[in-house]
């Protein structure tokens, strides 16, 4: 990996920090934004990078959450200003995933039924209907279950069409696309977003998609433990929300990616090692929903654990930070676009956030081009 350089004085660079799902999609959107400007290159800088082989030995840390994601699109009712903002990002992402799934089926996106069971649903969930759900999410097929269709203890159940994403395969495909389209890469463990301005000649702006930011006191980890299994028969993703706040879910992956069974959401827990007790609890909790998730019988005795997975989701108080910051530095006024703190919703929000990042980048580039030297 190398830093692009040029003897031409008019060559410039936009740096994107982070090769997680937010960084990768943002880099691709900025490539599209600058497609008509051959003198502007995009440099993707990250400490860790995707691999497309689930279960293979890797050096990925728990903080590289995009590698450990399930991942599926599971909308949340837009009941607050922040959730309404996120709902717009989700809807944009759904539209992009639909296009990718149709035009590039090999990238690991699968359209399947999603089913949810809630033992203690909030009023926002209870008010949903097919029209409001489709308007808010862009996902079709919403149907609320009748009382006789609900498992014992469940107060609300519904189904809809959604997308499951083979996270390692999909992120690797995005990186390949970025490189084929002329993107440059650099492996570097940066300590500040402002450090990125010295990585290449004439850096116009930096996108900070670093996950947890750099020293942002509002950021915190949400530890998640899941189990990657050899379950191949699953053709639905099912999520059960228990009254005590715990969750159980099944997320099948395409292209021999196994099925993810989970999971925990442990706020502020920095523990890296998986718990054997938690693994047993997750597998036991999933037993009631495995038969419904599968198109054919696969008995629990045949389900084997491929890997215990621990990831630290990069969350932030008040929700994700997506905004521009200008700072007066030794090299003059520099601009950074922040796009971090997605928590466990990175894949759901990805293309929507990336689109907003590109809009902010366009505003900065336009303002820079309008500046004329004083006579």
């Amino acid at each position: 990996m190398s830093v692009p350089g040029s003897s031409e004085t008019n060559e410039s660079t936009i740096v994107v920090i982070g090769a997680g799902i937010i960084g990768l999609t943002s880099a691709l959107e900025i490539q599209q934004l600058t497609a008509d400007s051959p003198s502007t290159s995009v440099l993707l800088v990250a400490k860790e990078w995707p691999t497309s082989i689930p279960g293979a030995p890797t050096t990925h840390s728990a903080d590289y959450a995009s590698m450990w994601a399930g991942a599926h699109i599971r909308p949340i009712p837009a009941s607050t200003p922040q959730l309404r903002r996120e709902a717009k990002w989700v809807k944009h992402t759904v539209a992009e995933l639909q296009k990718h799934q149709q035009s590039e089926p090999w990238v690991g996106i699968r359209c399947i039924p999603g089913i949810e069971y809630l033992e203690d649903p909030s009023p926002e969930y209870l008010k949903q209907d097919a029209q409001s759900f489709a308007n808010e999410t862009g996902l079709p097929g919403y149907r609320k279950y009748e009382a006789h269709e609900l498992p014992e203890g469940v107060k609300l159940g519904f189904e809809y069409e959604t997308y499951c994403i083979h996270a390692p395969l999909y992120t690797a495909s995005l990186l390949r696309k970025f490189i084929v389209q002329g993107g440059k890469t650099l492996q570097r463990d940066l300590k500040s977003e402002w450090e990125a301005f010295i990585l290449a000649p004439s850096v116009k702006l930096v996108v900070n998609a670093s996950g947890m930011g750099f020293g942002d006191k509002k950021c915190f980890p949400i530890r998640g433990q899941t189990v990657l299994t050899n379950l191949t028969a699953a053709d639905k993703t099912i999520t059960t929300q228990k009254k005590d706040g715990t969750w159980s879910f099944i997320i099948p992956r395409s292209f021999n990616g196994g099925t993810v069974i989970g999971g925990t959401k442990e706020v502020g827990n920095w523990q890296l090692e998986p718990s054997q007790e938690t693994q047993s609890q997750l597998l036991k909790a999933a037993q009631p929903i495995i038969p419904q998730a599968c198109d054919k019988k696969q008995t629990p005795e045949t389900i084997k654990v491929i890997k215990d997975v621990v990831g630290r989701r990069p969350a932030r108080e008040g929700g994700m930070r997506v905004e521009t910051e200008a700072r007066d530095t030794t090299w003059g006024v520099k601009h950074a676009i922040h796009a971090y703190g997605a928590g466990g919703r990175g894949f759901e929000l990805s293309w929507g956030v990336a689109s907003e990042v590109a809009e902010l980048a366009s505003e900065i580039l336009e303002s820079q081009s309008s500046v004329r030297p004083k006579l």
Side-chain angles (χ1 to χ4, degrees), residues 68 106 141 205 266 293:
W68 311 121
W106 54 85
L205 64 93
E266 304 165 66

Side-chain angles (χ1 to χ4, degrees), residues 315-362:
R316 186 174 183 271
E317 293 176 15
M320 192 174 183
R321 184 184 185 189
V322 181
E323 62 181 2
T324 299
E325 179 183 359
R327 181 175 293 191
D328 195 358
T329 71
T330 306
W331 313 284
V333 176
K334 299 296 182 182
H335 294 85
I337 300 171
H338 299 290
Y340 63 84
R345 306 199 75 192
F347 281 85
E348 291 178 292
L349 308 180
S350 57
W351 286 103
V353 170
S355 177
E356 188 163 326
V357 166
E359 291 175 6
L360 295 173
S362 178

